[in-house]
Amino acid sequence: DAKTTQPPSMDCAEGRAANLPCNHSTISGNEYVYWYRQIHSQGPQYIIHGLKNNETNEMASLIITEDRKSSTLILPHATLRDTAVYYCIVRPSTYGGATNKLIFGTGTLLAVQP
Amino acid sequence: DTGVSQDPRHKITKRGQNVTFRCDPISEHNRLYWYRQTLGQGPEFLTYFQNEAQLEKSRLLSDRFSAERPKGSFSTLEIQRTEQGDSAMYLCASSLPPGGGWNTDTQYFGPGTRLTVL
């Protein structure tokens, strides 16, 4: 089962920052927060991930609260092409290179309005 | 384009027929995953390969489903005797193993194959 809670939908005006919240109150110390998005009829696209510290890349910023129980994905200047379902996923780290599957919830549908 | 590719992108078949999908991972990615996504839901894990070895299978992968990765490069997913409930998007993802110590791998997805069973 997904370990995260996200609002089912959000709206954002084009050109404004989109702030997508995620609650992961049961996260444990070795678990990462990952964000993916899925534009209609396409495969999921990796956005960003983090463990404790805030992270930024060319697509977005990830802000993780100090207690790590919630996080926010920030798209600084949303465009119409950012309209998608955004998934917040908590993944345990594994030692020695073992892998683990992604467990998706139903995500947040972000609608960017012109 | 050096991303994950999947073929075909769309497949329409009649109930009872067999279908096979192909996934080509990102070059040098030795890990390969299959997921299935039905309408309105997030993707669900089906199976995972590291090189040619199939290391994990979901209970969703019934005995009508079989996946292979014979040379540790491309992978195929076959569904035998398709049922209408098999209609879904089938997604493939690949990744490199993470570095040493406690870490995770980042999976990159292909465009998916949309299967419709009539």
Side-chain angles (χ1 to χ4, degrees):
Chain A
D1 293 334
K3 297 183 179 181
T4 62
T5 304
Q6 299 178 254
S9 63
M10 292 182 62
D11 288 342
C12 177
E14 189 177 19
R16 304 295 295 269
N19 297 280
L20 292 97
C22 180
N23 186 298
H24 32 79
S25 58
T26 62
I27 195 170
S28 60
N30 70 340
E31 290 184 316
Y32 285 77
V33 179
Y34 270 76
W35 284 83
Y36 282 80
R37 74 180 183 183
Q38 189 171 25
I39 296 169
H40 183 62
S41 295
Q42 297 183 20
Q45 178 188 21
Y46 166 75
I47 302 174
I48 199 167
H49 73 281
L51 183 63
K52 297 179 185 177
N53 300 321
N54 298 337
E55 303 287 345
T56 295
N57 63 21
E58 64 279 3
M59 287 184 68
S61 294
L62 173 60
I63 308 299
I64 302 174
T65 58
E66 192 170 343
D67 64 7
R68 301 186 68 240
K69 293 185 177 182
S70 66
S71 60
T72 301
L73 179 75
I74 300 173
L75 307 178
H77 304 287
T79 71
L80 298 178
R81 288 183 292 182
D82 292 321
T83 293
V85 176
Y86 287 76
Y87 296 100
C88 171
I89 300 167
V90 166
R91 297 182 74 200
S93 58
T94 54
Y95 192 83
T99 190
N100 54 80
K101 53 190 172 286
L102 291 166
I103 300 175
F104 290 81
T106 51
T108 296
L109 174 58
L110 174 69
V112 180
Q113 309 290 345
Chain B
D1 189 330
T2 57
V4 177
S5 61
Q6 293 187 245
D7 183 70
R9 295 290 308 276
H10 303 274
K11 178 70 176 179
I12 300 174
T13 191
K14 293 182 179 179
R15 188 176 53 186
Q17 298 294 304
N18 299 343
V19 294
T20 300
F21 310 140
R22 176 178 170 126
C23 171
D24 287 88
I26 294 172
S27 178
E28 298 180 353
H29 280 195
N30 67 341
R31 296 180 168 187
L32 188 146
Y33 303 79
W34 286 97
Y35 292 80
R36 182 174 72 181
Q37 185 174 25
T38 54
L39 202 61
Q41 302 298 315
E44 296 174 290
F45 170 78
L46 290 178
T47 190
Y48 154 68
F49 290 85
Q50 180 157 306
N51 298 312
E52 65 275 9
Q54 188 173 18
L55 297 184
E56 187 175 352
K57 292 195 289 186
S58 161
R59 286 175 296 177
L60 291 175
L61 212 66
S62 75
D63 55 6
R64 295 184 300 104
F65 287 69
S66 63
E68 294 182 342
R69 195 182 183 199
K71 297 183 179 179
S73 57
F74 72 92
S75 175
T76 58
L77 177 68
E78 181 183 17
I79 308 174
Q80 297 183 324
R81 306 181 303 281
T82 52
E83 303 172 355
Q84 288 184 326
D86 298 330
S87 295
M89 173 83 87
Y90 290 85
L91 294 158
C92 176
S94 71
S95 71
L96 285 168
W102 291 93
N103 216 321
T104 64
D105 63 334
T106 295
Q107 297 174 29
Y108 296 90
F109 284 80
T113 294
R114 181 165 297 283
L115 173 67
T116 302
V117 181
L118 302 176

